[in-house]
Amino acid sequence: MGDWAKRRMGDARVPNSSAQADEILLRRPPDQVRNME
Amino acid sequence: MTATSRETRKAILGISAFYHDSAAAVLVDGKLVAAAQEERFTRKKHDSSFPINACRFVLGEAGVRFEDLRAVSFYDKPFLKFERLLETYHAFVPKGFVGFASAMPVWIKEKLFMKRLISRHLAELGVARVPVYFPEHHLSHAASAFYPSPFAEAAIVTIDGVGEWATTTIGLGQSSEISILKELQFPHSVGLLYSAFTYYAGFVVNSGEYKLMGLAPYGNPLSVRTADFREKITTELVDIRGDGSIVLNMDWFDYATGLKMVHEEKWEKLFGVPRRKPETEISQVYMDMALAIQLVTEEIVLRLARTAKELTGCRNLVLAGGVALNCVANGKILKASLFDGLWIQPAGGDAGGAVGAAYAVWHIHDGNQRGITSSFDAMSGSYLGPEFSNKEIRRTIEKHGAIARCVDDFQELAADIAGKLAGGSVVGWFQGRMEFGPRALGNRSILGDARNPEMQKKINLKIKYREGFRPFAPSVLEEDIEKFFELDRQSPYMLLVTPIRAEKQIPLPEGFEEKGLYERLYFPRSDLPAITHIDYSARIQSVSRETNPRYWRLIQEFKKLTGYGVIVNTSFNVRGEPIVCTPEDAYRCFMRTEMDYLVVGDYVLDKKDQPKLIEGADWPAQFQLD
């Protein structure tokens, strides 16, 4: 599994720490969300 | 309408389709004029096909001509969704090949060319060369939650199974702007977690979530088993972060690549019970499991609401997405007093995405300003569907040779029907415009007396032909809410669950929690037994004189007779059938069940007077059990 997939899949394991919280609730670039094309 | 005003109209058609609950909605000059789900026309529940009938209806209802149509807006981004599918399969390879192989042909043939597909369908309606836009799935949900709400500024939380990548978002709505601040991505999904338990409890995914929620109060909150289930869920299946984000342990779930929701053999080892076979008796263990996952879901939703408050500092919260239909969780948000105002999109599921997609283009893409002119929302009570004239109703009556009485004095009609309800009759009530969204709100409803201890059993088993455990909701006069319920505000869309007032509750006998389901169910828990759930809760619809004057008048007449401004309201359908749309649907449903009276517009039909409906005994086969 590549890094991108690990990030997306969270490596499919329940982590014990809350250190990754911000990686889970991601901040998205506003332009990306608002693009409707 | 004058020629001049017609020249200035700008319409936007919103569409949701191809997953479940296809729908269409139309905005004219920024005002939501019509919306409907395709299932109501095709009579196929949760119909996911292109909503050609719903499009035809909304465009016709709004009087939209080709030159009025500024844009079509589809509720998600097919390419991004496809990317998610590819990346998911790649991440789990070689697992999931069967799922991959079955999904690809339809994507490659059709879904990747959505613009062409939509244009082809619209051509059938005479619509050509209109720009098609694709707002993200959760932006569509967010727009459906914020723009029609009565708030100028609000925190926005959307939670569902999955759109493209996002499964949950937190945003901020200010005037005409929406900013998505945070999002949780697939496969970590509150909606899919809840659906996994829906599946394991033997209900249908994307349909039976409501049943699981209704089953949860039968779980024993004091039992070791319920606590053990909750512990197992939060240690093995899902890690809940402080901010409400979750990480699912995908070792337990199969939905990312497989054709099932969960790995059943693993779940059986973990919970000590196999997946319940659909339609079999529901034992206590599944009720405890339902309660455990409901409590976990409420914990997650509450944390997300708190995070939304921290991030935005707003006084108001708006919600959408399938999980926003979890009215028990919504009630917990209300109880937590995090926000002054709470508004929930009545079509919170994917159907509502059609409304949001249209709003997103109007305000975000086109930059039109949003005006808040009153404290009312812009959903018109969700009465956005088709309506039928007395002439059209008469035609249906004549077609069936039915015997009907026309009562054109509505006051007289309301008093008459209120008397029948108070006398124990069950009434099919069909008036005005059909509701948009999953709930019947008094225009396509089956009504009964909430005081009657037999009513819950009668409607479930003899009319709806559905599971006996399922609770019914009350419609209560807006001005009488606090008389009966612990609720200090309106709940027009039946999306808030709160307790019956303490003084109305009848104490439970000792050992109540250990008794069987039906023994508990039929023990009267208040003086409104038909709408008091096993835990003294009720899913409330408040009825406003302004929004639905006829329904309000009927309940008012019932109150005059009984002292109670509250009745049972359930959707006008049998199990597996979409809510009735036309007088024809209503008449058939009336004749197929043990309903006593049908009121369609100004016409009253008594079951005893009707000729036999000629059709095969296999009519239930038309509707797949949900």
Side-chain angles (χ1 to χ4, degrees), chain B residues 373-407:
Chain B
T373 52
S374 77
S375 58
F376 283 107
D377 66 45
M379 290 299 292
S380 306
S382 220
Y383 305 114
L384 293 163
E387 70 177 325
F388 298 86
S389 65
N390 274 328
K391 194 174 162 188
E392 289 168 299
I393 294 165
R394 181 81 228 164
R395 211 174 294 146
T396 302
I397 291 168
E398 286 168 357
K399 176 186 160 193
H400 288 282
I403 309 299
R405 182 165 56 93
C406 185
V407 186

Side-chain angles (χ1 to χ4, degrees), chain B residues 455-487:
Chain B
M455 195 51 66
Q456 203 256 11
K457 190 194 285 184
K458 181 176 177 180
I459 300 182
N460 263 341
L461 302 180
K462 295 186 171 178
I463 290 161
K464 303 277 283 191
Y465 303 128
R466 69 182 198 180
E467 302 93 331
F469 76 85
R470 295 183 61 191
F472 286 112
S475 288
V476 58
L477 296 176
E478 187 176 83
E479 52 274 34
D480 284 356
I481 299 173
E482 290 189 76
K483 220 190 244 185
F484 299 102
F485 307 105
E486 301 283 355
L487 184 66

